[in-house]
C-alpha cells in the first residue's frame, strides 16, 4: 500500500513538473518569437490586405488566389472580383489600394523608378515621393507621373481612357510640364486628347472611404511599435545591409500582433499623405551612433540590382543615377516644402536630445534643429533655484 502511494505521488510530481515546464516553455518562446517576428523591408510588392476574391496571374509559377503576405513580382497581374479589395505596398510610405473589378501589374519595382500599369477598374494611391523617386501610373491610353506626395485616384474607363483625380498632391500627364494636374482637379486622357476639370473632393465612394480608413488604421499600428523589441531588429537588419538611409524614405515594419506592415519614416515628425501623424520614426528608437554616420552605399543604375525588366520608353522621369546620393531622400523631402507636404508635422523634438546635432559629416542625416522655441528645455528644479537665491 505504501509503495503504491509513493508510486502515485511520484507520477503526480512528474506530471506537475511537466505541466509547469510546458507553461514556461510557452511563455518564454512566445515572447522571443514575438520579438523576432518584426520584419523590416524596403521592397515594393508586399500584399498587406486582401478582402473578397483576388487572383494573381503569374508568368512563372502557379496562378491562383492572392493571399495576404504574398509578394507581387514584375509582370504578375493582380485582378479583383466585384467584391474584391487588395492593398499592396509600394516604395516605403506608399500604397496602391485596388477596388472591385480591377487589375494591375508592376512594370518596374525599383524604389526610385516605380512603374505601375492599371489595366482596368479603379485604384487609390497613397504616395510619398520626390523628384529623385519617379512614380509613374500607366493605363491603356495614358501615363500619369506623380511628382508630389499626396493621394490620387486613377480609373480606367470602358474604352480604355485613363482618368486621374488628385485629392492631394500634383501630377503630370506624361512628361508635359504644361499639363499639370493640381489638387482638386482631374484629367481624362485618351492618347493625345486631354481634358482637365474640377471635381468635388467632398464626394467619396466606398473605395475612397476604405483607403482612408486603412491609412488611419496603419497609422495607429505605427503608434504601437515597441522600442525595446524592435530596436534590436533594426540594428540586426542594418548590419545585414537590409536597409540604409539613402535608398528610401523609411522602412516597412511587419508588426507581429496585427500582422500588417506599417510605415516607419526616417524623417522626424512626418504625417501620412492623408494627414495622420506618425507617432514613431527612426529617431525614436535611439539606434547606435555609427548607424547615422554610415557613408552612403554605391547605387545600381536602375536603383534595384534585382530588376529583371526595363520600363517602357517615355514612362520614367528618372533614368537612374549611377553615383552616390549625397543627401538622404527623407532630408530632401524635409527641406522641400515640408509644411505643405506634411501639414501635421510636429515641431517638439523631446526624444532625441542625445543624438548628434553638430559637426556631422556631409550627407549624414541629422535630427531636427533644436532652435524651435517650443522644444522642451532642461530646467533647474525649484528647490535649487530657491536655495541659490537664499545663498
Amino acid at each position: 500500500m505504501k509503495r503504491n502511494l509513493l508510486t502515485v505521488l511520484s507520477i503526480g510530481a512528474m506530471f506537475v513538473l511537466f505541466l509547469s515546464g510546458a507553461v514556461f516553455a510557452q511563455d518564454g518562446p512566445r515572447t522571443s518569437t514575438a520579438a523576432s517576428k518584426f520584419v523590416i523591408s524596403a521592397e515594393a510588392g508586399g500584399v498587406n490586405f486582401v478582402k473578397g476574391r483576388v487572383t494573381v496571374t503569374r508568368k512563372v509559377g502557379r496562378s491562383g488566389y492572392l493571399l495576404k503576405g504574398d509578394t507581387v513580382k514584375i509582370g504578375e497581374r493582380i485582378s479583383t472580383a466585384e467584391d474584391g479589395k487588395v492593398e499592396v505596398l509600394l516604395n516605403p510610405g506608399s500604397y496602391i489600394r485596388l477596388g472591385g473589378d480591377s487589375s494591375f501589374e508592376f512594370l518596374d519595382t525599383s524604389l526610385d523608378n516605380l512603374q505601375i500599369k492599371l489595366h482596368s477598374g479603379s485604384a487609390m494611391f497613397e504616395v510619398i515621393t520626390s523628384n529623385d523617386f519617379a512614380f509613374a501610373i500607366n493605363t491603356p491610353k495614358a501615363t500619369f507621373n506623380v511628382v508630389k506626395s499626396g493621394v490620387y485616384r486613377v480609373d480606367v474607363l470602358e474604352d480604355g481612357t485613363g482618368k486621374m483625380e488628385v485629392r492631394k498632391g500634383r501630377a503630370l500627364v506624361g512628361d508635359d510640364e504644361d499639363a499639370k494636374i493640381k489638387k482638386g482637379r482631374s484629367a481624362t486622357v485618351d492618347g493625345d486628347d486631354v481634358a482637365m476639370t474640377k471635381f468635388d473632393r467632398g464626394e467619396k465612394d466606398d473605395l475612397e472611404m476604405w483607403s482612408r480608413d486603412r491609412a488611419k488604421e496603419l497609422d495607429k499600428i505605427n503608434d504601437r511599435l515597441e522600442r525595446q523589441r524592435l530596436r534590436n531588429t533594426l540594428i540586426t537588419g542594418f548590419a545585414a545591409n537590409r536597409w540604409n538611409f539613402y535608398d528610401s524614405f523609411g522602412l516597412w515594419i511587419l508588426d507581429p500582433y496585427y500582422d500588417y506592415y506599417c510605415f516607419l519614416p526616417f524623417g522626424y515628425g512626418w504625417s501620412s499623405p492623408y494627414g495622420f501623424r506618425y507617432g514613431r520614426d527612426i529617431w525614436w528608437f535611439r539606434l547606435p551612433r555609427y548607424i547615422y554616420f554610415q557613408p552612403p552605399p554605391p547605387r545600381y543604375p536602375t536603383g534595384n540590382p534585382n530588376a529583371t525588366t526595363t520600363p517602357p520608353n517615355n514612362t520614367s522621369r528618372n533614368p537612374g543615377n549611377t553615383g552616390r546620393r549625397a543627401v538622404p531622400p527623407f532630408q530632401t523631402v524635409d527641406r522641400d516644402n515640408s509644411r505643405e507636404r506634411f501639414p501635421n508635422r510636429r515641431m517638439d523634438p523631446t526624444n532625441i536630445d542625445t543624438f548628434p546635432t553638430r559637426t556631422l559629416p556631409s550627407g549624414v542625416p541629422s535630427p531636427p534643429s533644436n532652435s524651435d522655441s517650443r522644444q522642451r528645455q532642461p530646467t533647474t528644479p525649484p528647490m535649487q533655484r530657491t536655495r541659490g537665491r537664499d545663498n
Side-chain angles (χ1 to χ4, degrees):
M1 181 71 179
K2 188 174 181 181
R3 181 178 300 175
N4 292 337
L5 180 61
L6 290 175
T7 302
V8 171
L9 290 175
S10 299
I11 294 174
M14 293 175 62
F15 183 72
V16 169
L17 289 173
F18 173 79
L19 287 179
S20 61
V23 170
F24 285 113
Q26 289 177 359
D27 289 344
R30 182 182 300 170
T31 301
S32 61
T33 300
S36 63
K37 277 186 66 178
F38 282 106
V39 178
I40 63 173
S41 172
E43 297 180 352
V47 179
N48 208 35
F49 179 95
V50 174
K51 181 180 180 181
R53 187 170 180 267
V54 182
T55 59
V56 55
T57 303
R58 297 185 172 95
K59 295 181 178 180
V60 179
R62 178 180 296 180
S63 301
Y65 288 110
L66 188 72
L67 302 177
K68 178 181 173 182
D70 288 348
T71 300
V72 181
K73 303 293 186 181
I74 295 172
E76 295 182 348
R77 186 162 175 166
I78 308 304
S79 303
T80 59
E82 184 178 359
D83 65 338
K85 289 186 176 72
V86 61
E87 176 183 82
V88 179
L89 308 177
L90 305 180
N91 57 40
S94 302
Y95 307 81
I96 175 176
R97 299 186 177 107
L98 202 65
D101 287 330
S102 306
S103 65
F104 91 99
E105 68 175 294
F106 284 112
L107 302 179
D108 193 339
T109 56
S110 302
L111 296 180
D112 57 356
N113 190 30
L114 196 65
Q115 305 286 325
I116 290 172
K117 184 164 186 180
L118 183 65
H119 291 280
S120 62
S122 305
M124 294 296 298
F125 293 86
E126 181 181 357
V127 177
I128 294 179
T129 190
S130 70
N131 290 333
D132 291 334
F133 282 70
F135 191 106
I137 304 168
N138 301 277
T139 66
K141 295 184 178 181
T143 295
F144 302 101
N145 281 292
V146 176
V147 297
K148 187 176 181 181
S149 299
V151 179
Y152 303 84
R153 175 175 179 145
V154 178
D155 297 275
V156 177
L157 307 183
E158 292 184 359
D159 62 351
T161 299
K163 180 181 179 181
M164 171 180 275
E165 294 180 349
V166 179
R167 295 277 167 180
K168 292 182 181 179
R170 187 172 66 249
L172 301 178
V173 177
D175 288 324
D176 188 356
E177 294 288 344
D178 295 327
K180 295 179 181 179
I181 318 171
K182 299 181 180 180
K183 180 173 67 175
R185 298 184 67 84
S186 68
T188 303
V189 183
D190 183 0
D192 294 331
D193 296 331
V194 179
M196 297 276 193
T197 59
K198 292 183 178 180
F199 69 94
D200 185 358
R201 290 191 296 153
E203 294 183 0
K204 298 180 176 66
D205 63 5
D206 177 66
L207 173 61
E208 294 173 63
M209 294 298 295
W210 168 67
S211 180
R212 188 180 188 278
D213 289 343
R214 282 294 298 165
K216 186 176 182 179
E217 181 179 0
L218 295 173
D219 175 77
K220 290 180 178 179
I221 294 176
N222 168 279
D223 288 344
R224 298 185 182 109
L225 294 177
E226 298 181 14
R227 175 187 291 159
Q228 184 175 358
R229 295 191 177 195
L230 183 53
R231 186 174 185 271
N232 288 339
T233 304
L234 289 167
I235 296 173
T236 302
F238 181 85
N241 294 321
R242 295 183 59 188
W243 67 271
N244 63 77
F245 285 107
Y246 297 87
D247 284 343
S248 64
F249 301 108
L251 296 171
W252 292 124
I253 303 294
L254 177 64
D255 183 86
Y257 303 105
Y258 300 93
D259 199 28
Y260 285 124
Y261 277 97
C262 67
F263 176 53
L264 178 68
F266 292 150
Y268 180 83
W270 278 26
S271 296
S272 75
Y274 276 99
F276 300 115
R277 181 182 64 81
Y278 294 119
R280 301 288 185 264
D281 54 56
I282 201 71
W283 303 98
W284 187 82
F285 290 92
R286 297 179 179 270
L287 301 178
R289 291 171 62 93
Y290 72 85
I291 291 180
Y292 301 99
F293 286 91
Q294 187 77 7
R299 301 184 63 233
Y300 295 87
T302 64
N304 182 359
N306 297 319
T308 57
T309 64
T310 302
N313 293 330
N314 301 322
T315 61
S316 171
R317 293 172 51 80
N318 182 4
N321 181 3
T322 58
R324 291 189 173 191
R325 185 178 283 117
V327 179
F330 80 89
Q331 279 195 340
T332 302
V333 173
D334 275 343
R335 297 170 183 176
D336 183 13
N337 299 323
S338 60
R339 290 284 189 182
E340 185 179 356
R341 290 175 183 270
F342 307 100
N344 292 340
R345 182 180 176 84
R346 53 193 167 100
M347 300 295 292
D348 184 20
T350 58
N351 294 324
I352 58 169
D353 55 324
T354 60
F355 282 98
T357 58
R358 298 177 181 175
T359 64
L360 293 179
S362 175
V364 173
S366 59
S369 171
N370 292 331
S371 61
D372 192 276
S373 59
R374 287 176 292 175
Q375 180 183 357
R376 183 184 302 169
Q377 299 292 340
T379 60
T380 305
M383 177 190 68
Q384 293 186 9
R385 294 200 299 268
T386 303
R387 184 178 300 170
R389 288 197 299 266
D390 292 342
N391 294 336

